[in-house]
Amino acid sequence: MNMREIDLNLLVVFEAIYSAGNISRAADKLNLSQPALSNALARLRKQLDNPLFVRSGNGVAPTSLAEEMIGPIRDALFAIEQSIAPKIVFDPAVTKRHFKLIIADPLEQIVVGSLLRTIADGSRITIELQPPQTTNIETALLEGKADLAVFLMPIRVAELNNTPLCSVDPVVIARCDHPRISAQSPRQEVMREGFVSLALSPGKLENSEKVNILKRLNVRQVVQVSKVSSIAQLVAESDLVGLIPLIYARKLAPQYRLQILTIPVPEIEQKFQLIWHRRFDSDAAHMWLRDNIKMAVSQAQEAQHVA
C-alpha cells in the first residue's frame, strides 16, 4: 500500500480505539461523534483489508494485525507530536508536568519522599501514584497510562527500556520482643514460624508473576497480603515473621521496632528496575524524573550503610 493513501487522522482514530477498547470511549476521547469515528474506522479497515477490531464483551478487541501495528503507530504519532510541539525548556521550578508513576511498595516512601523534597514550593509538578497490585506495568507503560515504573523487571518488551536501581536482597524480619526469635536464632527455628507473605497465587495480584522469592521457600504462610508494607505492620503487631527487601527493612526497623535477622535465605538475582517507554528517552522532564529517582535510591542505600 502507498503511504500517501493513508490519512494520518485514521491512525489517530486507530490508536484511540486500541487504547480505549471501546468505540464510544474512543469517540469521547477524540471529541467525535460515534458515527464519525465508526466511519473513520471503516475507511481504515477498507484500506488495510483487515477488520482491525472485533467485538468482545462490551467493547472491542484488536486483531493480530492491529497488535502488530500499535507499537510503531504509537511511536510515529508521538514523534510527530514532539516535532511540531513548541520546544519548552524543562525547569522543575516553573514547568507544569503531571507524572503518573507505578512504584513497588518497598521503594514508594524512598522515591516519593525524595521527589517531594526536590520539588520546590510553588512548583507546578504533580505526581499520581498508581497501585502495582491492580495496574499491569507493561500495559500501562505501552498505552501511555503511566509514565514510569519502579518495579521488578517486566516481561521483555522491545518498546520498554530499563535500568537497575538496587538489589532486592530479601531478609526475614520479626518484632524486637518476639518470644522465640532473636538475632541468635538458628535458621531452622525461624523458618518454622508462621509467615506474613504476599499473595502470589496466579490471578491474585497484578505483576505477582515477577516476584519469585516465595516460590523458593517452603514456609507456613499464615496471612497473605496484597502490599509489602502490610507485612512489616502485621509482623510488628504479632508473633509472625515476614520477608521483605533489605532496603525497606532498614527503613522500617526503627519505626516498627523490628529485628532484621541475619539468616540465609535463597539468593535471588532480581533487582528493582526503573522502567519507561523508549518514547521518553530524550524527554527533558522524564530525564529529570529518572535522574532524581536513581539519586533517591542511591542516597537511601548510602545513608543506611552509614547508619
Side-chain angles (χ1 to χ4, degrees), residues 2 20 25 33 43 69 73 76 90 95 100 117 123 174 197 206 258-259 262 273 282 307:
N2 191 329
R25 287 198 295 268
S33 67
R43 288 171 55 199
M69 290 170 51
I73 285 177
F90 178 72
T95 305
K100 296 171 289 186
R117 290 189 294 272
S123 169
S197 61
E206 284 287 355
L258 300 173
Q259 50 180 321
T262 57
Q273 304 276 343
S282 301

Side-chain angles (χ1 to χ4, degrees), residues 177-240:
D177 54 350
H178 195 286
R180 294 177 299 278
I181 302 299
S182 68
Q184 290 73 41
S185 297
R187 183 183 189 277
Q188 59 268 27
E189 290 186 11
V190 175
M191 303 309 280
R192 281 199 296 264
E193 295 290 328
F195 272 69
V196 184
S197 61
L198 279 177
L200 298 179
S201 300
K204 292 289 186 182
L205 301 172
E206 284 287 355
N207 310 300
S208 62
E209 76 285 351
K210 303 174 181 68
V211 184
N212 64 30
I213 179 60
L214 280 179
K215 299 171 186 175
R216 300 171 59 185
L217 284 177
N218 183 22
V219 298
R220 181 165 56 93
Q221 300 183 47
V222 177
V223 179
Q224 292 187 331
V225 297
S226 62
K227 298 185 297 182
V228 177
S229 56
S230 298
I231 296 177
Q233 183 175 356
L234 291 175
V235 165
E237 297 174 354
S238 69
D239 290 342
L240 300 174

Side-chain angles (χ1 to χ4, degrees), residues 71-115:
I73 285 177
R74 279 181 173 149
D75 288 347
L77 292 176
F78 182 82
I80 293 171
E81 182 180 351
Q82 291 295 102
S83 67
I84 63 177
K87 302 305 177 185
I88 300 175
V89 177
F90 178 72
D91 181 348
V94 298
T95 305
K96 184 177 181 180
R97 189 68 180 255
H98 182 67
F99 292 116
K100 296 171 289 186
L101 311 179
I102 304 171
I103 304 179
D105 222 19
L107 294 183
E108 183 178 296
Q109 293 183 29
I110 292 170
V111 168
V112 180
S114 177
L115 287 174

Side-chain angles (χ1 to χ4, degrees), residues 86-160:
K87 302 305 177 185
I88 300 175
V89 177
F90 178 72
D91 181 348
V94 298
T95 305
K96 184 177 181 180
R97 189 68 180 255
H98 182 67
F99 292 116
K100 296 171 289 186
L101 311 179
I102 304 171
I103 304 179
D105 222 19
L107 294 183
E108 183 178 296
Q109 293 183 29
I110 292 170
V111 168
V112 180
S114 177
L115 287 174
L116 293 178
R117 290 189 294 272
T118 301
I119 298 171
D121 290 340
S123 169
R124 302 175 71 196
I125 292 176
T126 54
I127 298 171
E128 173 188 338
L129 296 180
Q130 301 180 354
Q133 299 88 358
T134 57
T135 307
N136 181 271
I137 288 173
E138 294 89 344
T139 300
L141 293 174
L142 289 171
E143 295 185 357
K145 297 176 181 177
D147 299 304
L148 179 146
V150 176
F151 208 81
L152 302 175
M153 189 58 200
I155 301 169
R156 289 285 180 182
V157 179
E159 292 89 349
L160 301 183

